[in-house]
Amino acid sequence: MNNGFYKDLDTNFEMAYELSQKKYSHSELVLMLQEGNIPQKQIAALEFDSVNTVDDAKVLLNNLTGCDGKIREAVALSINRLLQGNSDVCKIFAEISADTFADATIDINANICRLVVDSAILMKNYNIFSYNYAEKILRFTNEALGEIDKFIFRDKKYVINKQVFKLYWCLEALKYFWEFLDENDILDVLKKSAIQKEYTIREKTAQIAVISDKFSQILKLLESDENYYVRKVLN
């Protein structure tokens, strides 16, 4: 890598350090998230102190997708923190965040995926959120399964892995939100997922299948699976 890269890295680190030493008002944090550079937005997300209005929630959600990974992860962490044990904040986010949360569930960064799913669970009691979130996750799941079915042996592994990663996190979300979907739709997804080559997908499928008697036919598909970790879920 060239010296310019390291110079930019050092500059960003120094700026982030300087920013972290200051105290900001709520309005300053909002402005930094709206107009700041990467270090400013990252610090603003981590220091974000409260969500009292829809506008407060939106300024965070606007930085949960479609921007630098350091910002996305900081925002995901902040949202999760703000939701913890605060029903008022959960209600605000539940009314506006389903689509954005679904998009962020399939982020390329697994830490963000984990934080977003954990945050979604905190809003599960709000049906307006749960139904919309589950429906979009179902769509993403079917898209990933469709893409995987199209692959041939000549396809590059990173292309395949991208869809497997997407499917994995969709199934992780469906593990908590499957009951908000039509039973036939979720069974169809589980049948297709139960025969995937990647054992991590079959393992995640098994974790859903053991939740309810409605999925007994999926359990039969997996009970003699060649992989130990898949079978272990069923025992």
Side-chain angles (χ1 to χ4, degrees):
M1 290 186 180
N2 58 43
N3 291 333
F5 171 85
Y6 291 108
K7 183 177 180 180
D8 289 343
L9 191 64
D10 289 340
T11 300
N12 285 339
F13 178 81
E14 290 171 5
M15 182 183 294
Y17 178 77
E18 290 176 7
L19 289 168
S20 68
Q21 303 306 302
K22 300 177 183 178
K23 295 294 183 181
Y24 301 94
S25 68
H26 183 76
S27 60
E28 287 174 326
L29 293 172
V30 168
L31 186 62
M32 287 167 66
L33 275 172
Q34 289 174 329
E35 301 179 5
N37 56 29
I38 291 174
Q40 288 171 332
K41 287 190 173 187
Q42 187 179 17
I43 293 299
L46 293 172
E47 295 292 327
F48 211 79
D49 53 349
S50 62
V51 171
N52 299 311
T53 66
V54 169
D55 287 339
D56 286 341
K58 283 182 177 179
V59 77
L60 286 169
L61 291 171
N62 287 341
N63 288 281
L64 185 57
T65 60
C67 58
D68 184 86
K70 292 186 287 294
I71 300 171
R72 300 196 314 274
E73 187 165 359
V75 169
L77 184 64
S78 182
I79 290 175
N80 185 262
R81 168 176 54 82
L82 292 162
L83 288 170
Q84 296 282 347
N86 193 320
S87 59
D88 291 335
V89 174
C90 286
K91 183 177 180 181
I92 291 172
F93 273 100
E95 292 177 350
I96 62 170
S97 66
D99 281 352
T100 305
F101 265 61
D103 291 339
T105 297
I106 55 172
D107 195 281
I108 61 173
N109 181 328
N111 291 333
I112 296 172
C113 301
R114 176 78 273 160
L115 285 164
V116 169
V117 172
D118 287 347
S119 294
I121 293 168
L122 296 173
M123 294 184 286
K124 188 176 177 179
N125 290 335
Y126 296 90
N127 286 343
I128 188 172
F129 171 84
S130 293
Y131 280 107
N132 291 333
Y133 178 72
E135 284 290 342
K136 193 163 187 181
I137 291 295
L138 177 66
R139 176 158 63 83
F140 288 156
T141 307
N142 283 319
E143 288 173 358
L145 286 166
E147 289 299 313
I148 291 171
D149 281 346
K150 295 177 185 177
F151 291 141
I152 57 176
F153 73 94
R154 290 191 300 272
D155 286 316
K156 294 181 179 179
K157 191 170 181 61
Y158 78 86
V159 177
I160 299 172
N161 287 344
K162 180 180 179 180
Q163 294 302 325
V164 170
F165 184 85
K166 177 179 177 180
L167 178 58
Y168 177 93
W169 283 104
C170 283
L171 290 171
E172 175 65 9
L174 290 178
K175 183 168 70 175
Y176 301 99
F177 289 88
W178 64 268
E179 67 265 42
F180 295 96
L181 297 168
D182 181 270
E183 185 177 327
N184 290 328
D185 289 338
I186 191 68
L187 276 172
D188 182 59
V189 161
L190 294 178
K191 287 176 185 176
K192 293 176 181 177
S193 299
I195 58 173
Q196 294 300 312
K197 291 181 180 180
E198 290 288 336
Y199 87 86
T200 55
I201 298 301
R202 303 197 307 277
E203 182 183 14
K204 193 60 62 179
T205 304
Q207 290 174 5
I208 301 174
V210 297
I211 294 173
S212 171
D213 293 339
K214 295 178 180 180
F215 305 138
S216 57
Q217 58 184 294
I218 309 301
L219 293 175
K220 290 180 181 179
L221 285 173
L222 295 170
E223 61 186 4
S224 299
D225 195 276
E226 64 183 25
N227 186 273
Y228 166 77
Y229 293 103
V230 177
R231 297 195 307 274
K232 184 179 180 181
V233 174
L234 306 182
N235 296 329

